[in-house]
Amino acid sequence: MSKTTIVPFGPQHPVLPEPIHLDLELDDERVVQALPSIGYVHRGLELLAERHNFIEMAQVAERICGICSFIHSQGYCQGIEQLLGLKVPPRAAYLRTMWAEMSRIQSHLLWLGLSADAFGFESLFQHSWRIREMLVDMIEETTGGRVIFGTCKVGGIRKDVDAETLQRIGGKIREMESAFNEISHIFSIDRTVKQRTVGIGVLTAEDAHALGAVGPVLRASGHARDLRQLGYAAYGELDWEPIVETAGDCYARCIVRLREISQSIDLIKQCIDRMPSGEIEVTFKGKRPQGETMIRLEQPRGEVCYYMCANGGKNLERFRVRTPTFANIAPLVHMLKGCELADVPVILLTIDPCVSCNER
Amino acid sequence: MSWFSISALVTRSALNRPATRLYPIEKRTPYPKTRGHIAFKITDCTFCTLCAVKCPTGAIVVGKTDNTWAIDHGRCILCGNCVESCRESCISLRQQSWHSMQEQEVIRYR
Ligand code: SF4
Ligand code: SF4
């Protein structure tokens, strides 16, 4: 066997602002093995839950991640609501769904831009982010924040969105859709994109299942598994199907995300059209959470799990988060085996790593 | 021609107005809901400390004995808990963002 070299990749790497470190064992230019290590940005958010009032913690939970922020607070609130035996009013459930889908679109557009940047397609990167900006403006218009929505609370949502604003958002989302369709077309046919992604980092359906891949990585390998199928919030009442591709390579993962953006746009339109009227929150004065629960939600990056344990006090006894990036690291290490060194950034990006939220 | 698929888009954006603003000369107008900064009116405050208790970051310090109210804008995460909890409506959320800070800024009211 020839001699191998170890090349460190990250935690500071130009392609990825996320602090993940990989020790790449190379035989010439080919990766023999990759050893990941994380732990550079641990913030102790789980411990904070044991010290903060369970109502205020919704705001802290939202700050686990700066991209899927809303879905984290939604998951936290759903868990507490389950412990308290609350059912959120339909209007709150629809608005939560709408914001969760906005969060998904902005995350996927951000990813598309970053991946275009990773394979050296600067203009596509800028156009993806130009379109993302349209959506971030819609988020600000409905919630007041651009990154942190701050609208989810235990028992419902904090601020209603009036019918006029919803109509306006409906119009803007159509505008955004036509702009998005243009870049979506470029992503799916452009030769530069295809050369860097087709047949690279293939994950077979069996491997994806065995290694526990989640989210777009799993669906790009042919598994129709999307946690929104559980029907939480308003997903049970909307018309949609999980997006599946079968090739399992970087290109398939890119296409899954492109198609998911179109689907999310459609889901937002459905939410606006079917928005029920009525209350936006239920009160639970004086009630304290008791018992334990496990909540699973579909984030832009895949399945997120929350474990909560409470003993009737005003703080939770234990709060545990397993983010999708953690589940996707094992498939990543598998995909990196045998690839070219130049393809490592592209493969790494196609799992859409969010190391900071992974470390909480 | 898949090599040139982006050329139409690039040509169009080269001829159009830029998508970005010429900041700081041109400022964007915030939306009515935008959470910019916390404003405080001391006249009605009863110094009940409710806002300070509800603040998740400990940005508000209320002096019950000496009738002072202070906010650290660097710690405030604009969650709006204090606005919702104040019974006297002394605290409000304003749309304009707080200016950028180079050091800790605690604004004291008395
Ligand atoms: S809750 Fe209102 S009245 Fe009470 S201390 Fe805070 S600002 Fe003053
Ligand atoms: S907005 Fe939130 S963080 Fe800021 S002072 Fe009020 S309660 Fe504290």
Side-chain angles (χ1 to χ4, degrees):
Chain A
M1 198 186 139
S2 59
K3 203 167 163 287
T4 57
T5 335
I6 306 244
V7 172
F9 178 100
Q12 304 279 340
H13 193 275
V15 79
L16 188 74
E18 296 279 351
I20 185 168
H21 172 81
L22 293 169
D23 270 328
L24 300 170
E25 194 181 334
L26 300 179
D27 177 6
D28 195 11
E29 287 266 309
R30 205 157 277 282
V31 177
V32 181
Q33 176 165 244
L35 271 179
S37 53
I38 51 173
Y40 295 93
V41 281
H42 178 66
R43 290 161 290 159
L45 273 161
E46 286 176 354
L47 190 68
L48 218 53
E50 292 159 31
R51 303 195 175 150
H52 264 291
N53 181 315
F54 74 94
I55 301 172
E56 283 158 22
M57 187 58 200
Q59 259 112 30
V60 183
E62 185 156 11
R63 284 163 171 81
I64 292 176
C65 180
I67 300 168
C68 9
S69 51
F70 183 79
I71 306 185
H72 277 297
S73 61
Q74 186 188 4
Y76 175 83
C77 293
Q78 276 189 20
I80 300 286
E81 281 150 13
Q82 202 169 73
L83 291 176
L84 292 172
L86 303 177
K87 193 175 179 311
V88 299
R91 189 174 174 87
Y94 269 80
L95 281 169
R96 277 185 184 183
T97 310
M98 184 181 90
W99 282 321
E101 289 312 311
M102 283 187 173
S103 183
R104 192 178 316 278
I105 300 177
Q106 75 102 341
S107 166
H108 281 352
L109 279 170
L110 181 119
W111 177 83
L112 285 172
L114 284 180
S115 63
D117 190 38
F119 42 70
F121 205 156
E122 289 288 333
S123 43
L124 196 51
F125 153 66
Q126 286 169 352
H127 281 284
S128 305
W129 281 39
R130 175 178 59 88
I131 294 167
R132 176 175 174 265
E133 193 58 28
M134 296 176 167
L135 194 95
V136 177
D137 277 346
M138 286 183 237
I139 295 174
E140 184 177 350
E141 193 172 349
T142 48
T143 66
R146 291 168 70 77
V147 173
I148 298 294
F149 292 36
T151 45
C152 210
K153 73 181 219 180
V154 178
I157 55 158
R158 297 176 72 181
K159 272 195 205 119
D160 205 351
V161 183
D162 56 48
E164 201 183 308
T165 313
L166 279 179
Q167 281 308 320
R168 211 167 36 241
I169 295 297
K172 285 187 179 178
I173 205 107
R174 280 182 185 85
E175 229 171 81
M176 193 203 105
E177 188 179 16
S178 60
F180 167 70
N181 285 345
E182 204 170 10
I183 67 151
S184 167
H185 179 69
I186 299 168
F187 261 107
S188 38
I189 67 152
D190 196 275
R191 213 164 136 185
T192 320
V193 178
K194 281 192 173 171
Q195 272 186 337
R196 292 302 308 269
T197 54
V198 174
I200 308 281
V202 178
L203 187 69
T204 61
E206 296 76 43
D207 288 341
H209 180 81
L211 295 166
V214 293
V217 180
L218 180 68
R219 292 193 284 278
S221 295
H223 292 275
R225 213 168 302 154
D226 189 318
L227 278 177
R228 290 174 285 173
Q229 285 166 303
L230 295 176
Y232 64 86
Y235 290 111
E237 297 164 24
L238 302 174
D239 307 319
W240 67 281
E241 285 285 320
I243 304 278
V244 185
E245 288 285 327
T246 48
D249 57 359
C250 291
Y251 183 67
R253 291 191 274 280
C254 186
I255 296 296
V256 165
R257 293 196 175 96
L258 285 172
R259 288 176 57 201
E260 280 190 4
I261 295 178
S262 301
Q263 183 184 55
S264 297
I265 292 175
D266 184 51
L267 282 170
I268 294 176
K269 283 194 219 153
Q270 287 187 37
C271 283
I272 293 176
D273 291 342
R274 303 183 191 178
M275 186 67 68
S277 53
E279 289 296 308
I280 54 164
E281 59 171 311
V282 281
T283 48
F284 54 97
K285 257 211 147 35
K287 272 200 204 170
R288 295 274 171 85
Q290 186 136 35
E292 52 179 353
T293 186
M294 185 94 185
I295 288 284
R296 296 188 305 156
L297 255 67
E298 185 73 21
Q299 270 194 345
R301 299 182 169 84
E303 171 181 338
V304 61
C305 309
Y306 303 89
Y307 167 77
M308 287 171 206
C309 175
N311 59 359
K314 69 177 176 33
N315 306 347
L316 287 181
E317 201 158 72
R318 181 83 175 94
F319 177 52
R320 175 96 177 85
V321 190
R322 204 260 358 230
T323 60
T325 304
F326 188 73
N328 277 336
I329 285 181
L332 168 74
V333 170
H334 179 77
M335 284 187 273
L336 287 177
K337 261 182 217 153
C339 78
E340 292 282 337
L341 176 62
D343 289 332
V344 172
V346 179
I347 298 177
L348 176 62
L349 263 180
T350 54
I351 71 157
D352 197 0
C354 182
V355 181
S356 314
C357 77
N358 183 19
E359 292 172 18
R360 295 147 342 254
Chain B
M1 288 280 279
S2 59
W3 276 115
F4 301 107
S5 58
I6 200 168
S7 46
L9 184 59
V10 171
T11 320
R12 193 151 24 90
S13 52
L15 298 175
N16 281 350
R17 280 191 64 219
T20 48
R21 240 172 259 104
L22 209 61
Y23 187 82
I25 301 165
E26 197 185 331
K27 289 211 173 77
R28 68 196 282 274
T29 31
Y31 291 98
K33 273 192 177 170
T34 303
R35 301 191 299 268
H37 73 273
I38 290 288
F40 178 65
K41 195 166 81 241
I42 201 161
T43 41
D44 299 331
C45 180
T46 57
F47 306 99
C48 65
T49 72
L50 208 62
C51 51
V53 171
K54 294 277 178 185
C55 177
T57 58
I60 299 179
V61 177
V62 182
K64 243 183 165 166
T65 45
D66 56 353
N67 287 4
T68 56
W69 192 95
I71 181 165
D72 181 347
H73 283 285
R75 292 187 81 128
C76 172
I77 55 170
L78 296 167
C79 65
N81 278 4
C82 53
V83 182
E84 283 172 19
S85 63
C86 180
R87 297 197 202 106
E88 315 294 333
S89 311
C90 306
I91 314 176
S92 54
L93 263 172
R94 296 284 160 82
Q95 295 146 4
Q96 284 303 340
S97 57
W98 193 252
H99 57 86
S100 45
M101 287 171 277
Q102 287 184 338
E103 53 192 21
Q104 191 181 31
E105 268 181 33
V106 181
I107 311 289
R108 244 173 261 285
Y109 299 82
R110 59 168 67 241

